[in-house]
Amino acid sequence: MTIQERTTAADGTAPCDGTGTGHRAVGAAQAPGANGPWPVDIGEDAPAARGGHVLAEAEGGAPDVVLVATGADVHIALAARDILQREGTATRVVSMPCAEKFQAQSEEYRDAVLPPGVRARISVEAGVELGWYAMLGGAGQSVGLAQFGVRAPYRELHQQSGLTAERVAAAARTRLHRAT
């Protein structure tokens, strides 16, 4: 399976381990990567079972920016986080394999993952951007692919359409500036 052939469970869950996409299996997933597949726990007690969780915490205190991504797009968010952290912007990455499951969690849990005080939120999604806006709030932005039907290797598609860590970092800088 290639990374652009993302499969999801019937409930829409697209698990990841920060390196790629998951193959659905009973209680686990296989995430392909440069050194082969790694098992990814998607059982009842796994963080992914709650629909969304903090994958990489902001260094240096509370986050200034939250990047939210799913499945195969998490690596872009993690790379953007690296850029922003080097610039001194405390950046959290949230893995959101299933927004519906996340919305079903307690308000306390949702606020712990997506702090209400952090208005600079960016979603990273190779699919449809529309569903993200409710979670991003008024100062948020969705960075994604705005076209469908184009065929090319995923890296080439991402570069051509601007779904890159650099674009995500630029969107985060802009939104952080507007939110303050």
Side-chain angles (χ1 to χ4, degrees):
M1 178 171 136
T2 60
I3 205 158
Q4 69 267 28
E5 295 172 322
R6 182 175 93 173
T7 54
T8 57
D11 64 4
T13 304
C16 78
D17 69 347
T19 61
T21 181
H23 298 275
R24 181 71 176 169
V26 179
Q30 293 291 314
N35 299 317
W38 294 279
V40 179
D41 184 9
I42 55 173
E44 278 185 36
D45 296 330
R50 298 188 88 173
H53 62 96
V54 176
L55 185 65
E57 189 54 87
E59 295 173 11
D64 299 317
V65 172
V66 176
L67 307 177
V68 186
T70 64
D73 305 317
V74 168
H75 74 282
I76 298 168
L78 289 169
R81 176 186 176 271
D82 289 345
I83 293 168
L84 293 164
Q85 286 287 162
R86 279 194 304 270
E87 295 171 355
T89 302
T91 306
R92 173 185 285 183
V93 174
V94 171
S95 174
M96 188 69 64
C98 185
E100 291 80 10
K101 283 185 179 181
F102 180 73
Q103 292 298 339
Q105 302 303 314
S106 70
E107 182 177 1
E108 179 182 14
Y109 179 78
R110 291 190 318 265
D111 288 351
V113 174
L114 295 175
V118 180
R119 297 183 55 226
R121 298 179 185 182
I122 308 295
S123 70
V124 183
E125 173 66 60
V128 178
E129 298 175 2
L130 186 62
W132 287 105
Y133 289 102
M135 214 175 296
L136 298 177
Q141 180 179 339
S142 186
V143 175
L145 299 178
Q147 56 188 343
F148 293 93
V150 179
R151 295 186 55 90
Y154 80 93
R155 285 188 179 106
E156 186 178 318
L157 279 176
H158 287 185
Q159 284 297 321
Q160 289 176 358
S161 60
L163 187 57
T164 63
E166 293 78 13
R167 181 170 166 226
V168 171
R173 284 184 214 103
T174 299
R175 294 304 170 171
L176 182 59
H177 178 72
R178 288 184 183 170
T180 55

